[in-house]
Amino acid sequence: MEAISHAGTVLGVLAKDGVVLAAEKKVTGKLLDLSGAKEGGYGGSGEKIFLLNSNVISGVAGITADANSLVNYARTAAQRHLFSYDEDIPVEQLAQRLCDLKQGYTQYGGLRPFGVSLLYAGYDVHYQFQLYHSDPSGNYSGWKATCIGANNGTAQSLLKQEYKDDISVEDAIGLAVRVMGKTMDSTTLGSEKLEFAVLTLDKSTKQPHARIYKPAEVDALLAEHGLGKKEEDAEMKAA
Amino acid sequence: MSIMEYNGGSVVAMVGKNCVAIASDLRLGNQALNVATFDKIFPVTDRIYIGLSGLATDVSTLRERFRFRVNMYTIKEEREIEPATFAHLVSSTLYEKRFGPFFIEPVIAGISSPSRGSKPFIAAADLIGCLNFAKDFVVAGTASSELFGIAEGLWEPDLEPEDLFETISQTLLNAVDRDAFSGWGAVVHVITPDRVITRTLKGRMD
């Protein structure tokens, strides 16, 4: 639990036509090799936001190694469901599978629990768009907007004030970006510190479509909401 | 009678110039009785198709198994699987059941990704995963002997997609006409680097 409260913030916002996840990366720096992330298939640096299945994305906060193990378990669980039932796993069921695993580690064996909290953002035909949160004890609950990791109290109260039912996914993106801006430690937002993902329904195929933003797309999104990093040259010129 | 002949069906794949084609009949039978139209060729990715001949229940199960494993591959590696890699995945999946096998003879046809040269690729395997990387054509199913003979006669290298379609269609239709356990219509997929053209053929429904 300590590790999670020190980990990078992840927040999720549910909209009527989509779900949004935003995450602050803690592992950054000039020497970090992000070339894979720039061209890679799914976007994201593989630190905070992961694709679990074609209909579910998740954001993790806590011990990264534990998170990777849980993400792998979730991906396999989703495929097992697809194999048996020929349908995408319902989001709540995926959350339950992971929570059953996590709970086992609190009751049996003498092993330590997984030090990870996860947010699951997904779509299924039964309950449409959903957002769930699970913690190391194996508890999970459904949310309209929530936050895990560092500064989650601040972010949670900001979300409580500004969230309205039936917001559109564009407004949800704006809300997520603004709340991240207020809660993140760094003074300016940029693609090295922010991971962003949106899950919507593809208009033509009516299938869930997850999009984890590539670094360039994150920068464009921030610029669109007026929160992009100012050019250093521009600041010098102004001075 | 052999378990591989219980449901019937045949598949063939051929290499052309910057294209591949894969074709199969549509018969699902219960020994001599025709039961249903059953497509045996499935897309694995946009540019890889697999055709599975043999016992129909294993065709369905293996299709779902391969979907599982290819999805895991795609999500973890964050890229699409290559045809040659997929062929090895098929081989290892089948060998896992070495002493209680799936009664399947798979045929794989695809084009590698642009970053690897968009090369045409075909392969076939036996029911326990022995791969055959032919350069010209591969055959499988109850009409495999007939398919071998006609393909050997009709195939030539560097056929354009339209000519490859004609060649593979004639190969398949005439071969299944000679086999009691294959037929009931046919389907052909021609795979090129930009797109896949699928055509259903009219054949003898006996």
Side-chain angles (χ1 to χ4, degrees):
Chain A
M1 300 303 282
E2 273 299 303
I4 298 166
S5 52
H6 292 279
T9 321
V10 184
L11 66 84
V13 182
L14 189 65
K16 65 175 184 327
D17 51 344
V19 200
V20 173
L21 283 183
E24 178 194 359
K25 290 196 267 193
K26 287 280 191 189
V27 180
T28 55
K30 268 180 17 185
L31 290 175
L32 193 64
D33 179 8
L34 286 170
S35 52
K38 288 201 177 73
E39 291 103 45
Y42 291 113
S45 62
E47 190 200 325
K48 300 296 284 182
I49 299 185
F50 297 91
L51 182 79
L52 295 186
N53 195 19
S54 53
N55 63 322
V56 186
I57 46 174
S58 87
V60 307
I63 302 175
T64 311
D66 289 1
N68 286 339
S69 169
L70 284 176
V71 163
N72 197 44
Y73 182 84
R75 287 170 170 171
T76 323
Q79 289 304 312
R80 273 200 298 271
H81 185 99
L82 176 66
F83 177 75
S84 302
Y85 303 106
D86 202 22
E87 60 162 30
D88 280 337
I89 188 167
V91 191
E92 187 171 355
Q93 275 202 40
L94 184 58
Q96 279 173 351
R97 296 263 176 287
L98 269 179
C99 287
D100 289 343
L101 178 73
K102 292 205 249 187
Q103 189 276 337
Y105 277 70
T106 67
Q107 195 171 11
Y108 312 116
L111 300 161
R112 66 162 177 82
F114 291 96
V116 195
S117 267
L118 294 110
L119 288 185
Y120 312 81
Y123 175 91
D124 59 48
V125 294
H126 309 289
Y127 292 104
Q128 291 74 57
F129 290 103
Q130 299 148 75
L131 177 67
Y132 293 96
H133 161 230
S134 74
D135 63 17
S137 66
N139 249 344
Y140 76 93
S141 40
W143 293 84
K144 295 181 193 171
T146 189
C147 182
I148 54 176
N151 298 325
N152 69 343
T154 333
Q156 192 85 8
S157 37
L158 277 169
L159 286 171
K160 213 160 52 169
Q161 286 170 352
E162 298 202 27
Y163 182 80
K164 291 181 185 28
D165 288 330
D166 286 341
I167 54 169
S168 69
V169 73
E170 293 81 28
D171 289 337
I173 293 174
L175 175 60
V177 172
R178 274 178 286 123
V179 174
M180 281 307 277
K182 291 187 186 138
T183 58
M184 269 167 71
D185 290 336
S186 34
T187 45
T188 51
L189 297 183
S191 57
E192 328 80 54
K193 295 233 87 174
L194 187 67
E195 258 186 62
F196 209 83
V198 179
L199 185 86
T200 48
L201 219 49
D202 183 292
K203 285 187 186 46
S204 45
T205 61
K206 297 277 179 286
Q207 292 300 315
H209 172 71
R211 183 178 156 212
I212 305 181
Y213 284 38
K214 295 194 172 40
E217 294 170 328
V218 173
D219 282 324
L221 175 70
L222 291 171
E224 196 186 313
H225 288 270
L227 288 160
K229 237 194 329 202
K230 292 182 184 52
E231 286 292 326
E232 282 167 70
D233 296 286
E235 283 190 66
M236 285 184 70
K237 279 185 199 147
Chain B
M1 94 126 44
S2 154
I3 192 75
M4 298 291 284
E5 286 155 29
Y6 185 79
N7 292 127
S10 310
V11 187
V12 58
M14 289 187 174
V15 170
K17 195 174 167 74
N18 288 331
C19 61
V20 287
I22 182 167
S24 79
D25 71 325
L26 295 173
R27 184 176 179 273
L28 175 83
N30 186 338
Q31 300 202 351
L33 174 70
N34 261 353
V35 173
T37 309
F38 185 64
D39 198 354
K40 308 168 183 64
I41 303 185
F42 308 100
V44 175
T45 69
D46 290 335
R47 1 156 76 93
I48 307 176
Y49 275 65
I50 182 166
L52 297 156
S53 67
L55 196 62
T57 175
D58 288 346
V59 170
S60 303
T61 302
L62 268 185
R63 172 227 181 293
E64 288 163 10
R65 267 200 182 219
F66 290 138
R67 181 175 58 176
F68 185 128
R69 294 191 182 193
V70 171
N71 280 348
M72 287 306 293
Y73 183 98
T74 317
I75 284 186
K76 283 191 185 184
E77 301 235 351
E78 298 191 6
R79 65 190 177 93
E80 283 202 337
I81 193 168
E82 294 291 329
T85 317
F86 178 66
H88 282 95
L89 178 65
V90 169
S91 170
S92 47
T93 306
L94 292 172
Y95 197 82
E96 278 173 14
K97 302 280 184 206
R98 169 67 178 78
F99 299 109
F102 289 110
F103 296 106
I104 289 290
E105 278 171 352
V107 167
I108 301 145
I111 297 195
S112 61
S113 65
S115 56
R116 289 189 201 228
S118 289
K119 294 204 198 61
F121 175 89
I122 54 169
D126 69 4
L127 76 173
I128 43 179
C130 175
L131 284 169
N132 163 23
F133 298 110
K135 301 267 186 324
D136 41 14
F137 53 84
V138 288
V139 302
T142 50
S144 57
S145 313
E146 292 86 342
L147 282 163
F148 266 127
I150 309 183
E152 194 66 55
L154 291 183
W155 187 84
E156 53 186 71
D158 290 328
L159 286 167
E160 292 293 329
E162 295 308 314
D163 300 325
L164 185 66
F165 165 71
E166 294 297 330
T167 307
I168 199 174
S169 302
Q170 287 303 312
T171 306
L172 182 69
L173 283 175
N174 290 300
V176 305
D177 284 348
R178 280 277 181 184
D179 177 29
F181 289 114
S182 300
W184 207 250
V187 70
V188 183
H189 305 270
V190 180
I191 308 164
T192 56
D194 346 289
R195 61 203 179 121
V196 176
I197 310 168
T198 302
R199 296 182 182 90
T200 314
L201 304 179
K202 195 168 112 173
R204 288 181 64 100
M205 303 297 273
D206 64 355

